[in-house]
Every structure is written in structure tokens, then in C-alpha cells.
Amino acid sequence: MQPMRFHSHHGKNVHIADDGLIATRTCSFAHGICFGNRPLNQGEIFLVEIMNNERGWSGNLRIGLTQHNPDSLFELPQYALPDLVTLLGKSWVMAITKTQRYLFRDSEDHGLDTPIVDQEDDTRPERLLGHGDWIRTRCGTVRRDQLLPQSKRSPELFHESPALNRNSQSNISERLNAESASSHPSSPILPTEVGSRIGMIFTSNGKKGELYIILNGDEYGPMAADIP
């Protein structure tokens, strides 16, 4: 399986480098949509790592799926939320904020980000990725440490797995918290801090697809269901 890279069709404020492995916001706000260069397979984990952070703007990172093919070079809206979801449709996109307590999705009623998952909810079902050191998916096996931010991983070198596609996104429009995890090693790294790893996995229940979000090794979801 070929590794996932960023597609050459992207928002005008994005620069793609390192043979499609790094996406950087170059200026301003909006027009920052990026795509993978091929469809995401069922059971395949897609992962991005934040390498740098833009302090000039405040906003949220979005991640999700779309059935619009970037190869068609269709006209991109300014935003993934709400534009890509509500105007073009056939898209399932979640907002990742700088706090881990909530994940957000677009509200059909008001077009606003609405909290749908509380991290402290103990009623969530059995974890999709299990609890062991190794994660077995339809696309292969991944060591769980690969989903963790660099500061939380063991110093060993891990093998590359076909089940894991790791890209990097830098300069996302989100302010860092005043207290960073690097200054306070005992504090958990927040989703939008440098070094954070944000991912997703698309699965099927036999009839429809489901989208799960992965934040620094923790899974949330399904965040979207009934995906054709």
C-alpha cells in the first residue's frame, strides 16, 4: 500500500512540501483545506502530526472524510466547516479544539460547532482499537505508541506499518495554550499543541461506514455514522 500524501489540489493559503508529506499554512485565515492523494481504505489509520503553530490567528483544526474527488479540481470553499459540509455535502468533518474535553461537529440547525463527545464520559462502548500494545486493523498491525505524541512515546524505533499513514501539518491557525506540555511534563499534551498526533479511522458495520477520531492515542466515536 502506498503511503498517504497531501493532494496537489488544496486551499490557496496552503503550501505542500517534502513530496506531499508536509502542509503549511502560508498566510491569513480560511482557504486552508487539504486532501489526501488517494481514498482512505477501510481500517486504515490516517494520522497527522503538528510540527509548528501559528500564533497570529485563533481557530480550530478540522479533520474528516469527503466523497468529493480532488482529482476533479472542483472549486474549493473557504472552510471545511461549515462550507464543505453544508454547501457541497457528502462530507463528514469534525473540529479539533485545543481542549480535549470536547470534540465538535457542525450543527445542521445553526451552522455552529456543537459539542457531541465528553472525554470524561465513562459510558462509551468498547474501544475500537482495543487496549493492547498492538492495534490490529484490516490493513495491518500498528504499535499503539505510534499514535502518541513524541513526548509520550518510548525511545524505541518502530516499524512502518501499512495500516498507518502519517503526514504532518504545520502552522495551523490555533493559539498555543499559555502553559505548554513541554514546560509541564506531567501535563497531558493538548490536541493542537506542537507534537500532537491527530488521526482518524473509517470502518464499516456491514452496511454503512463509521468515522472515529484519534487524539494522541485516544479514540472517540463513532463521530459520524451512516456514511455511504
Side-chain angles (χ1 to χ4, degrees):
M1 183 186 302
Q2 293 296 318
M4 183 82 74
R5 300 177 186 275
F6 288 111
H7 198 280
S8 58
H9 186 48
H10 52 75
K12 66 180 182 180
N13 289 336
V14 173
H15 174 70
I16 305 296
D18 198 17
D19 197 23
L21 291 176
I22 296 178
T24 303
R25 174 176 287 281
T26 57
C27 63
S28 190
F29 62 95
H31 300 289
I33 295 177
C34 301
F35 302 95
N37 66 341
R38 61 167 176 79
L40 186 69
N41 295 299
Q42 287 190 30
E44 179 182 8
I45 298 174
F46 176 79
L47 197 69
V48 296
E49 179 175 319
I50 299 176
M51 299 175 60
N52 201 351
N53 216 306
E54 168 60 61
R55 294 176 178 269
W57 303 95
S58 180
N60 297 324
L61 178 69
R62 270 78 162 143
I63 189 170
L65 300 173
T66 184
Q67 291 182 340
H68 296 284
N69 187 352
D71 286 344
S72 67
L73 303 182
F74 66 96
E75 184 177 355
L76 299 181
Q78 290 191 66
Y79 307 101
L81 277 179
D83 299 0
L84 187 63
V85 174
T86 58
L87 298 181
L88 298 183
K90 298 181 179 180
S91 302
W92 300 265
V93 181
M94 310 300 159
I96 308 297
T97 67
K98 62 185 177 183
T99 171
Q100 260 181 308
R101 180 172 175 80
Y102 291 106
L103 290 180
F104 293 78
R105 73 177 169 196
D106 187 65
S107 167
E108 295 180 357
D109 297 328
H110 305 289
L112 301 175
D113 290 341
T114 304
I116 59 174
V117 171
D118 189 331
Q119 185 186 4
E120 297 180 359
D121 181 7
D122 293 329
T123 64
R124 289 180 296 176
E126 182 70 16
R127 297 180 63 175
L128 174 70
L129 303 180
H131 298 275
D133 292 336
W134 294 89
I135 299 170
R136 292 174 174 81
T137 75
R138 294 182 181 182
C139 297
T141 302
V142 177
R143 187 176 174 93
R144 186 175 298 277
D145 279 11
Q146 290 183 297
L147 307 182
L148 300 178
Q150 186 174 5
S151 61
K152 303 295 182 181
R153 296 200 305 271
S154 61
E156 302 173 4
L157 294 177
F158 305 120
H159 77 289
E160 291 295 327
S161 169
L164 177 68
N165 265 305
R166 175 189 166 202
N167 283 354
S168 300
Q169 177 162 341
S170 60
N171 291 351
I172 61 171
S173 300
E174 175 67 36
R175 294 181 184 273
L176 284 169
N177 273 10
E179 295 183 352
S180 68
S182 59
S183 300
H184 300 270
S186 60
S187 302
I189 187 171
L190 300 179
T192 55
E193 290 184 337
V194 172
S196 178
R197 290 189 164 190
I198 301 168
M200 61 182 173
I201 183 171
F202 173 64
T203 66
S204 174
N205 59 16
K207 295 182 180 179
K208 297 289 186 176
E210 297 178 336
L211 174 63
Y212 289 77
I213 301 298
I214 303 170
L215 297 179
N216 294 317
D218 292 326
E219 67 180 67
Y220 299 83
M223 308 304 295
D226 297 327
I227 301 175

